[in-house]
């Protein structure tokens, strides 16, 4: 497997998706997971992507994208909801570590999305700080339904795209990097059953989204 130095946003995206394809095929190469890589990355890190995903235990980033130490700068919250500390972490990955790609990773059977749907239907929201997570997902569910998108897959895609746009709306650092061509921000939808990640949103990447049936 060829590693790329100073990857472009497109290079980084292709590298990430190639790893996912190996994972889906059951043929992972487990790159950059040995003692040599551990020694190489001890002084500093140069991840090729920032991955902002759901905290779900089935979304272990380095496994599902077949990567290793120093490859991904990972930020995860339930339902990939983004507060200021998340924005700061992602900006760090882009402005300090110079990652050319930010990925928002959602998945089917997401508990946060399901809880937001349930809260809208029965008027009951969870207690504690879980309520905050659900309330941050709710606008995505409302937007999907307003557009006539009612299926679980459609609501998930809406939430992923909403998160992509939210990052760019709230972060001048990210928006300016995309405008300058130094960064792409994409949204991926992960299928738990087969391990595949599908592109559902892209900003700054010359990739055509697949048509949905």
């Amino acid at each position: 497997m060829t590693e790329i130095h100073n990857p472009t946003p497109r290079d980084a995206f292709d590298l990430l998706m190639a790893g996912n394809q190996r994972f889906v095929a059951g043929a992972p190469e487990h790159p950059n997971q040995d003692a040599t890589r551990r020694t190489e990355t001890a002084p500093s890190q140069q991840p090729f992507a920032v991955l902002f995903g759901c905290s779900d235990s089935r979304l272990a980033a380095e496994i599902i994208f077949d990567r290793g130490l120093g490859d991904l700068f990972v930020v995860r919250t339930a339902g990939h909801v983004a507060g200021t500390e998340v924005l700061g972490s992602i900006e760090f990955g882009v402005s300090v570590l110079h990652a050319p790609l930010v990925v928002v990773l959602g998945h089917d059977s997401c508990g946060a999305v399901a809880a937001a749907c349930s809260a809208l239907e029965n008027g009951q929201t969870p207690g504690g700080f879980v309520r905050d997570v659900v309330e941050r997902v709710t606008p995505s569910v409302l937007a999907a339904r307003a557009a006539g998108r009612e299926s679980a897959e459609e609501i998930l895609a809406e939430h992923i795209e909403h998160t992509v746009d939210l990052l760019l709306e709230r972060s001048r650092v990210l928006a300016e990097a995309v405008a300058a061509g130094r960064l792409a921000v994409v949204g991926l939808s992960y299928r738990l059953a087969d391990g595949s990640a599908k592109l559902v949103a892209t900003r700054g990447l010359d990739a055509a989204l697949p048509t949905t049936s």
Side-chain angles (χ1 to χ4, degrees), residues 67-86:
R67 299 307 313 178
L69 298 173
D71 289 335
L72 305 177
F73 188 77
V74 181
V75 183
R76 296 171 67 183
T77 64
H80 54 82
V81 298
T84 55
E85 65 284 356
V86 167

Side-chain angles (χ1 to χ4, degrees), residues 27-163:
E29 297 178 0
H30 306 293
N32 299 330
Q33 297 182 19
D34 58 10
T36 299
R37 179 65 167 181
R38 185 179 67 222
T39 301
E40 289 173 351
T41 57
S44 64
Q45 57 174 322
Q46 292 183 302
F48 69 82
V50 176
L51 194 142
F52 174 39
C54 181
S55 296
D56 192 290
S57 62
R58 298 162 292 184
L59 252 68
E62 285 84 1
I63 294 176
I64 65 177
F65 291 106
D66 192 29
R67 299 307 313 178
L69 298 173
D71 289 335
L72 305 177
F73 188 77
V74 181
V75 183
R76 296 171 67 183
T77 64
H80 54 82
V81 298
T84 55
E85 65 284 356
V86 167
L87 289 166
S89 298
I90 295 172
E91 286 186 354
F92 181 84
V94 172
S95 62
V96 178
L97 302 179
H98 307 296
L101 180 69
V102 172
V103 177
V104 175
L105 180 66
H107 66 97
D108 57 359
S109 301
C110 178
V113 173
C117 292
S118 179
L120 287 171
E121 290 163 4
N122 60 33
Q124 297 181 350
T125 55
F129 288 107
V130 177
R131 176 191 295 266
D132 183 63
V133 173
V134 172
E135 289 177 347
R136 291 181 189 226
V137 177
T138 299
S140 299
V141 179
L142 290 172
R145 291 180 173 176
R149 306 173 74 187
E150 295 283 347
S151 73
E153 182 178 2
E154 290 173 329
I155 292 172
L156 171 62
E158 177 69 34
H159 182 46
I160 294 169
E161 186 158 11
H162 175 79
T163 305

